[in-house]
Amino acid sequence: MLRNKEIRKFASMFFLIAFGTILAAYNIHPAAGFLAAFSILLSGFLFFLFTRERYGKIAQISEEINQVLHDAEKVYIADCEEGELSILKSEIGKMTLRLREQNNALKREKEHLAQSLEDIAHQLRTPLTSANLILSLLENHPQEDVKRELLFETEQLFAQMDMLLTSLLKLSRLDAGIITFRREKLDVKKLIEAALHPLLIPMEIHEISLEVEAPEGVCITGDFEWLAEGLKNVLKNCMESAKECGKIRIICQDTALYTEISVHDSGRGFKEKELLKIFDRYYRGEDSHTVGFGIGLALSRSIVIRQGGTIAAKNHPEGGAVFIIRFPK
């Protein structure tokens, strides 16, 4: 306690004032001097006991803080009687709890990052292996037509890897919460047209018929570019499911509670256990001919949910799959 500079300074002043008071009282009358000395000594002793008790409580708080910082099982600092120290302990406890929560959040983010890196490496391994195999085949085929075909396949593999990395980058930015979505009024019909635009030529090549029912003037609130990206991934999945000479139907409904965009394809639909995993990252379904990396629908779900909407998939009563996107009013 006496290591505290303020306590030593206070003790010096106390003894100086006490000595002067006792001397002045003794000059008045010896009995007054003895009474002053007794009162001052008693006050000093009581102050010493009170200060030592407070220092003991402070030391206890310090020890509990040390335990909280170094013991993962201990989170809270024990309560004490009301007073300044109780308020201090309460504030320290709140701060410690917030720090523990932030530390746990950082641990989860590290684990998620490690898992994401592992997933990326796994997803890139297959096309990279194929590209290496093709490059080795180029050395053994002098024919120009074979070389052109192998180079084309290599170009397609690198395009797939570029698409994968771009989608993973978008997902990671969404997961990290660093995307700021614009909140603006969007025309649903224009949103559908923007999502369909990059898919029109592939649909024409595969002779997929398209039917769009979107009334004029139906609007939702959100970020146009991101929602168009999410809807495009859903449409791309339906296009791949419909296959050659298939059909895709897009219907927009506006009700008093929500605005709905449904996309129905003429494909095989989903198995029951697929419906539980269809939006999971890297899930590609049980069809061995499924193309892609299982990123698109996971990205679509993340985009829609983060803008206040919902997205679901089910089998249509008339056959095929249907995706339902809703934005509440």
Side-chain angles (χ1 to χ4, degrees), residues 34-266:
F34 285 113
L35 180 61
F38 176 77
S39 300
I40 290 173
L41 289 175
L42 180 61
S43 299
F45 179 71
L46 293 176
F47 177 78
F48 171 78
L49 293 179
F50 174 76
T51 305
R52 188 176 66 175
E53 182 182 2
R54 287 180 66 85
Y55 266 79
K57 291 181 178 179
I58 292 174
Q60 180 185 359
I61 294 175
S62 179
E63 178 62 25
E64 291 184 2
I65 292 174
N66 186 62
Q67 292 178 9
V68 169
L69 293 176
H70 295 87
D71 185 2
E73 300 297 327
K74 187 175 179 61
V75 179
Y76 298 100
I77 298 176
D79 295 331
C80 60
E81 298 177 357
E82 293 186 7
E84 295 178 355
L85 290 180
S86 177
I87 297 173
L88 176 62
K89 291 181 75 172
S90 177
E91 293 302 317
I92 292 175
K94 293 177 183 177
M95 180 187 67
T96 305
L97 184 59
R98 286 196 294 269
L99 290 174
R100 179 63 57 82
E101 291 174 348
Q102 291 176 0
N103 186 45
N104 291 335
L106 287 174
K107 288 182 179 178
R108 290 194 297 269
E109 288 180 5
K110 282 185 177 181
E111 293 173 357
H112 176 71
L113 177 60
Q115 182 63 42
S116 297
L117 290 174
E118 183 179 347
D119 291 335
I120 292 171
H122 176 73
Q123 294 295 325
L124 289 175
R125 188 175 293 115
T126 300
L128 280 175
T129 302
S130 300
N132 287 329
L133 178 61
I134 292 174
L135 291 175
S136 65
L137 290 174
L138 282 172
E139 298 177 351
N140 303 322
H141 286 279
Q143 296 90 346
E144 290 298 325
D145 55 341
V146 175
K147 285 185 176 181
R148 283 195 296 269
E149 183 178 350
L150 291 175
L151 287 173
F152 177 77
E153 291 182 12
T154 305
E155 183 181 352
Q156 294 299 312
L157 287 172
F158 282 116
Q160 290 179 12
M161 286 189 284
D162 179 70
M163 180 184 67
L164 170 64
L165 292 173
T166 301
S167 299
L168 286 172
L169 178 60
K170 291 177 180 178
L171 265 178
S172 62
R173 293 174 66 194
L174 289 170
D175 291 341
I178 61 177
I179 300 296
T180 302
F181 292 113
R182 292 190 296 270
R183 301 290 295 173
E184 53 190 9
K185 193 174 181 180
L186 308 177
D187 186 282
V188 175
K189 189 171 184 178
K190 292 182 179 179
L191 180 66
I192 294 173
E193 291 174 353
L196 279 171
H197 185 265
L199 303 176
L200 291 177
I201 294 177
M203 286 184 182
E204 184 177 352
I205 293 174
H206 294 286
E207 299 182 358
I208 297 175
S209 63
L210 177 66
E211 181 180 347
V212 180
E213 298 179 13
E216 297 285 349
V218 177
C219 297
I220 58 175
T221 301
D223 189 300
F224 186 88
E225 292 182 3
W226 279 100
L227 286 177
E229 172 76 15
L231 184 57
K232 182 193 74 174
N233 291 332
V234 172
L235 291 167
K236 185 174 181 291
N237 184 274
C238 291
M239 181 185 71
E240 293 169 354
S241 298
K243 299 182 180 179
E244 299 291 334
C245 303
K247 181 179 180 181
I248 294 177
R249 186 182 184 190
I250 305 172
I251 301 176
C252 174
Q253 294 181 341
D254 190 38
T255 70
L257 299 177
Y258 55 81
T259 300
E260 177 182 288
I261 302 173
S262 64
V263 184
H264 173 210
D265 66 60
S266 59

